[in-house]
Amino acid sequence: MAHINESYLELSGSYLFAHINRRVAAFRSVHPDADIIRLGIGDVTRPLVPAVIQAMHAAVEEMASAATFRGYGPEQGYEFLQEAILDGDYRPRNVKLDADEIFISDGSKCDVANIQEIFGADVKIAIADPVYPVYLDSNIMAGRSRNIVFLPGSAGNDFLPQIPEEKVDLIYLCSPNNPTGSVLDRAALTRWVEYARENRAIILFDSAYSAYIRDETLPRSIYEIPGAREVAIEFKSFSKSASFTGVRCAYTIIPKELNGFDGNGNPHSLHTLWNRRQTTKFNGTSYIVQRAAEAACRGEGRLQNQAVVDYYMGNADIIRTGLERAGHTVYGGKNAPYIWWKLPSGLDSMKFFDTLLEKCRVVGTPGVGFGSCGEGYFRLTAFGDRERTREAVERIVAAGW
Ligand code: MLT
């Protein structure tokens, strides 16, 4: 008999955004002509920038000739991209990393979901609430549903995860946070790094939205914090910083001095374990995509993408100020592309999803989808088209909640 992994039965019925898509499709089947504005899933809408397109075309041409054609590449990614990432994101901030500490992949979602494989089944895991649901779901799948320590976020603690009383071994930090838009400052991140050092814990730092940080005093990488190399893995993505949600490219950094421990307390290199995992289960990101990502890191490509990020942050301003002027309480949207809207008191976020769609033809994401502490809140994304975003806000304000 083919037994299933029964941990899957402990998951909620469907993945958050699959659930949302189904509800929108159901609505559309009843209202085929409805003019729906989608501010739900954080998917980018601006096209790839010219420098990236040019690099992709050039890479396609290389693939057309036997002399420059590429087959399997290194599972860890090409050095040209690792170097470009260092030039773009790390050297300007005086963060020292070796190129081969960067593992290129086809997305941060896969990396943050897969990284738990290299840790023991019994590790205690701290996960913020609310937060990107993949951390929790992937650990439930791996049989760790009883090993989770939630770090409750609320307006009272600025939606920032606080160090728990119970000792934990793995800590997922998402900064800027999806969905609340809160960002861990240097002092808060330093406290986490110190905690991890004292407790032989590892921080899994998801910084997929770091390109949206506008406050220059805020850290964009955990490696800006002294000592972080010995306790942190960092995940970054080209999805939201370079319009790559459909192109697929991201990277995970594992410094070579970062160790996990066996049952006898002996240290083992996590870089080695992840490399073993990737070389066995992953065949690398496509050459064309890596050339495109390289172009996004430096020079014109970087500037062009910065303009796209600014465009989305203009949308964030429109949503934030529009709702505030109408008397609503909102968080985020200043250093992140998400606006975290406190629903008028007593409104259930799942029910509000339907009401908003029905009344305003606007799609958002119910806060409870990011954890129980998200109940009573609603996430709107700034990744839409400017005029449509403006219109969505007008519709919401006109609805008069
Ligand atoms: C979101 O809407 O939270 C993100 O788009 C999900 C993701 O990046 O996978």
Side-chain angles (χ1 to χ4, degrees), residues 15 17 40-43 109 132 134 178 209 240 338 370 379:
Y15 179 60
F17 294 106
I41 188 164
D43 194 4
K109 182 185 195 173
Y132 187 39
V134 174
N178 174 13
Y209 299 95
K240 315 294 161 86
Y338 294 124
F370 299 95
R379 193 192 78 174

Side-chain angles (χ1 to χ4, degrees), residues 206-224:
D206 183 352
S207 197
Y209 299 95
S210 62
Y212 290 82
I213 294 178
R214 307 196 127 188
D215 177 343
E216 273 304 319
T217 67
L218 293 170
R220 290 179 176 218
S221 162
I222 195 163
Y223 303 119
E224 291 177 39

